[in-house]
Amino acid sequence: GAGVSQTPSNKVTEKGKYVELRCDPISGHTALYWYRQSLGQGPEFLIYFQGTGAADDSGLPNDRFFAVRPEGSVSTLKIQRTERGDSAVYLCASSQRGGRRETQYFGPGTRLLVL
Amino acid sequence: QKEVEQNSGPLSVPEGAIASLNCTYSDRGSQSFFWYRQYSGKSPELIMSIYSNGDKEDGRFTAQLNKASQYVSLLIRDSQPSDSATYLCAVLNTGGFKTIFGAGTRLFVKA
C-alpha cells in the first residue's frame, strides 16, 4: 500500500512568513510523529499524536510551532513568524498503534528553506 | 551530555569487512533501541530493533545491547558498497512516546 506522504516536498519562504507542512500517514496508523532534521544531525523529535490528540509535544521548540491532527489521519505542522534557524528537513512518521516495539515508517520529508 | 551519542565518523571499511557502529545513551529507563539507515537525501529506514540484553541477528546485521553499560552497537558483516550510508542509533525514552536519535555515523564501504 501507499507509504507516508508529505507535501510540499520543498518550501522556500521569507523570514517572518507563516508555513504549513502536511503529512498523510499510512492508512490505519493511529500514531503519527513529527521530526526536524538539520544537516549533519539526526532527526529531532517534535511531537507525537495518538489519534487526534498530542500525547507528547515536548519537542516543539517554542510557541511559533503548532501541529494538529483533527480527524486522526492527516496532520499539519504550522510554523508562525518563520526564522532562518527553522530551515531544515521536516520528517513525518507513522506507526500502527504507537507501541514501544513498533516500526516507525518515515515519509520523504519537506525541505524548508527560510530566506 | 547528549542523550544519544554516536561517533560521527566517517568510518571507512573495505568491501567484505565487518563494520562496527557504536552508540551510548543516557536514559537508564529506556527499553527500546533501534538502528536506522539513511541514504543521502533520503529518509531514515529501520534496519534493526533490540529490546533485551545480548545479541540479535538478522542476515548480515547483528545488534548488541548492554543496558548496564547503556551501550548499543550494530555489526555489519560482509560489508557491501551499497551499505554506504549514515547509520542512526535511536532510543525510545522511558515515557514510551519520544524517540531520541543520535547524530549518526557515516559509513563508507570501499569496493
Side-chain angles (χ1 to χ4, degrees):
Chain A
V4 179
S5 61
Q6 293 186 245
T7 56
S9 54
N10 291 280
K11 176 71 177 177
V12 181
T13 191
E14 293 179 344
K15 180 175 178 297
K17 299 290 189 183
Y18 168 82
V19 297
E20 289 190 353
L21 311 179
R22 175 188 167 109
C23 172
D24 212 328
I26 292 172
S27 178
H29 280 194
T30 62
L32 185 146
Y33 309 80
W34 282 100
Y35 297 88
R36 175 170 71 174
Q37 187 172 25
S38 300
L39 197 62
Q41 300 297 313
E44 173 193 7
F45 172 87
L46 296 177
I47 187 168
Y48 160 63
F49 283 94
Q50 180 54 254
T52 60
D56 187 337
D57 65 357
S58 61
L60 294 177
N62 51 59
D63 61 6
R64 296 188 296 106
F65 288 74
F66 190 71
V68 295
R69 195 184 184 199
E71 297 178 357
S73 55
V74 171
S75 176
T76 304
L77 178 65
K78 308 180 181 194
I79 311 174
Q80 298 178 320
R81 305 183 304 280
T82 51
E83 299 178 356
R84 293 194 179 91
D86 298 334
S87 298
V89 176
Y90 288 80
L91 294 165
C92 176
S94 71
S95 69
Q96 194 162 13
R97 291 180 306 278
R100 293 173 181 265
R101 300 191 174 195
E102 290 185 0
T103 299
Q104 292 185 31
Y105 297 91
F106 281 82
T110 293
R111 190 174 301 272
L112 175 66
L113 178 61
V114 181
L115 300 176
Chain B
Q1 180 192 6
K2 291 183 181 176
E3 293 178 87
V4 178
E5 293 207 52
Q6 297 181 253
N7 186 329
S8 62
L11 174 65
S12 184
V13 300
E15 184 175 359
I18 296 175
S20 178
L21 305 162
N22 305 312
C23 169
T24 58
Y25 62 93
S26 62
D27 183 349
R28 283 199 167 273
S30 299
Q31 297 294 321
S32 302
F33 307 87
F34 308 92
W35 283 98
Y36 286 81
R37 178 175 62 200
Q38 186 172 28
Y39 292 112
S40 182
K42 301 296 185 182
S43 53
E45 172 192 17
L46 182 69
I47 53 171
M48 287 289 286
S49 56
I50 188 165
Y51 312 108
S52 305
N53 281 329
D55 295 0
K56 179 182 177 183
E57 185 175 320
D58 184 0
R60 295 187 296 113
F61 299 97
T62 298
Q64 299 173 316
L65 173 62
N66 183 327
K67 290 183 182 179
S69 300
Q70 294 172 250
Y71 177 87
V72 195
S73 67
L74 178 70
L75 299 178
I76 306 175
R77 288 181 300 282
D78 188 24
S79 295
Q80 302 296 309
S82 59
D83 294 328
S84 298
T86 295
Y87 288 81
L88 298 162
C89 174
V91 177
L92 187 63
N93 77 338
T94 302
F97 296 149
K98 187 173 178 177
T99 302
I100 309 299
F101 284 81
T105 298
R106 293 187 69 189
L107 172 66
F108 292 104
V109 181
K110 300 174 293 184

